[in-house]
Amino acid sequence: MVSLLVGTRKGAFVYRGDTARKTWQVDGPHFLGSIVNHLVLDPRDGRTLLLAAKTGHLGPTVFRSTDGGKNWAEAKTPPAFKTVPSGEKGRAVDSVFWLTAGHVSEPDVWYAGTAPVGLFRSADGGATWAEVEGFNDRLYERIKDSVVNVPDGSLVHSILVHPEDPRRVYIGLSTGGVFESTDGGESWVPLNKGIEASFLPDGNAEFGHDPHLLAMHPLDPERLYQQNHCGIYRLDRPSVEWRRIGAHMPKEIGDIGFPVVLHPRDRECLWVFPMDGTDVWPRVSPGGRPAAYRSRDGGASWERQDRGMPERQAWWTVKRQAFCADARDPVGLYFGTTSGEIWSSTDEGASWSQISAHLPEIYSVVAAEV
Amino acid sequence: MRVVLPSPLFSYSGGQREIEATSETLAQLMGVLDGRFPGMRHRIVDEQNRIRPHIRFFVNGDSATTLDHRLSADDEVLIVAALSGG
């Protein structure tokens, strides 16, 4: 059965679908009042849940459940930077923003991305977390002038482990750029060529860009897509130069947004959810008319998919972790909105229906087979 | 000394609002609390030993802003979740 793991500004919810994915039973809230940035299932065992949480008052931590969310255990050592000597200025994790299960050959490994930018690794299923020093020390030292002093902006997301090589990892830094490691995080190389960065003084900067989300195709991990602050891009490795496939989006819609979702079996098929990135950046659906856009040719052309969605005066949008696909045929698509609604499609975006409303602001929606 | 906890920490203290403890500084008290209620310290003090932004400490009614604040046996320590953080 497909379940939707939903993280919100005020707690987590699990929606369990029937076989047709038409009716949904809600389980929750879990951790009512907690800010839940990410709730994910371990795809390696199909059972373990990890949840990234903080509250308005309390600091960030990670919880783990091995019984479908009935019981939770807090990490003994949550992600935290090293303590610096008194008098020196050290960093402190403000939020655990992103969780990624490690490679299938490393069943207890997890990665966590944080704000401010930090990368952490657990080798014991999420009980204890340690810094990835190649990232938090060496890379950070090199790029810190590009990622600091941005209110609310600097965080680590899109931790993508190559399915054929656990040492090969891609990562996205909001106000930092895309980086690749081929040695398990010891060293990192910027991967931002071809990406526009209209907010940087140097248009050819090596890093400092603002990826909103990266996606790697599960069947062809050399095919990467990126929804960036400045457009939609595609990269076919071993090339290191991104191409702006969002240039083919309708001009009145533009190619700004947060999420990008890939078809699980067709590397040419992807969905985005545009938002208004004009003048003062309203970050709402363009014109108050929300829609997903699908490309079936790797971004050469796009089609609007909005049947069933509000036709006017709907001023919400979809955040970067809040749009996802299941692996069924036809593919099911699910997104959560900034206004607390969950929408789904069981026909690959041709039509949409609302699963739920009146939730807190939704930060993440993850489809999982449970 | 008497230590009064705010409701956001009740999930750690098992619902206890007041506890008795012996400590010479707030830093030491944090260690005592974390020993008794594992995980509590990290939620209210960050890894640089700074009190988190929406947490306040009062000792006998006076604000204490750093963990090196000294304590006496008959002090009352109030840990408060600030009127913010919503």
Side-chain angles (χ1 to χ4, degrees), chain A residues 21 24-25 28 41 43 53 69 93 180 220 237-238 303 348 361:
Chain A
R21 300 170 293 177
W24 300 82
Q25 299 294 322
L41 177 76
V93 173
E180 180 188 21
D220 179 5
R237 305 305 312 276
E303 61 183 311
E348 307 204 348
E361 179 177 3

Side-chain angles (χ1 to χ4, degrees), chain B residues 3 11-12 18 23 29 38 41 45 49 56-57 60 67 75-76 85:
Chain B
V3 181
S11 65
Y12 292 90
E18 294 183 19
S23 298
L29 177 61
R41 182 186 193 283
V45 174
N49 297 313
R56 294 287 181 271
F57 285 71
N60 302 325
L67 294 187
D75 282 348
E76 180 189 68

Side-chain angles (χ1 to χ4, degrees), chain A residues 61 74-78, chain B residues 3 5 9 12-13 19 21 23 26-45 79:
Chain A
T61 191
E74 184 174 355
K76 290 189 181 73
T77 310
Chain B
V3 181
L5 303 175
L9 294 177
Y12 292 90
S13 68
I19 61 163
S23 298
L26 278 178
Q28 201 180 83
L29 177 61
M30 290 301 96
V32 169
L33 289 179
D34 206 56
R36 206 178 295 180
F37 309 119
M40 181 184 281
R41 182 186 193 283
H42 182 72
R43 304 303 300 276
I44 55 178
V45 174
I79 303 174

Side-chain angles (χ1 to χ4, degrees), chain A residues 186-204:
Chain A
E186 286 289 309
S187 63
W188 296 85
V189 175
L191 197 59
N192 300 296
K193 197 173 176 189
I195 302 283
E196 185 181 331
S198 57
F199 49 88
L200 292 178
D202 177 6
N204 295 313

Side-chain angles (χ1 to χ4, degrees), chain A residues 208-341:
Chain A
H209 303 71
D210 191 18
H212 285 175
L213 196 76
L214 300 179
M216 176 169 58
H217 198 275
L219 300 182
D220 179 5
E222 305 311 317
R223 168 65 64 88
L224 299 171
Y225 292 98
Q226 176 184 166
Q227 173 65 72
N228 187 282
H229 185 86
C230 299
I232 307 164
Y233 294 85
R234 168 180 148 188
L235 175 63
D236 291 297
R237 305 305 312 276
S239 169
V240 295
E241 183 153 6
W242 295 85
R243 284 195 295 129
R244 189 168 184 172
I245 56 175
H248 306 122
M249 285 280 288
K251 290 286 175 263
E252 69 277 15
I253 298 298
D255 64 343
I256 307 304
F258 276 117
V260 54
V261 173
L262 308 189
H263 192 292
R265 292 174 294 278
D266 179 356
R267 71 174 200 158
E268 307 299 336
C269 184
L270 68 155
W271 290 265
V272 294
F273 209 100
M275 69 178 183
D276 188 344
T278 59
D279 51 63
V280 298
W281 277 71
R283 290 182 168 85
V284 296
S285 295
R289 296 186 301 120
Y293 277 76
R294 175 173 70 172
S295 174
R296 290 192 283 184
D297 49 18
S301 64
W302 298 88
E303 61 183 311
R304 184 178 177 94
Q305 293 188 310
D306 63 356
R307 189 151 67 89
M309 290 189 211
E311 295 177 3
R312 63 187 68 82
Q313 294 293 340
W315 300 103
W316 40 258
T317 192
V318 178
K319 292 205 160 171
R320 75 189 86 206
Q321 288 124 307
F323 190 10
C324 64
D326 65 25
R328 298 291 178 94
D329 187 11
V331 171
L333 296 167
Y334 312 91
F335 66 80
T337 72
T338 50
S339 60
E341 301 168 27

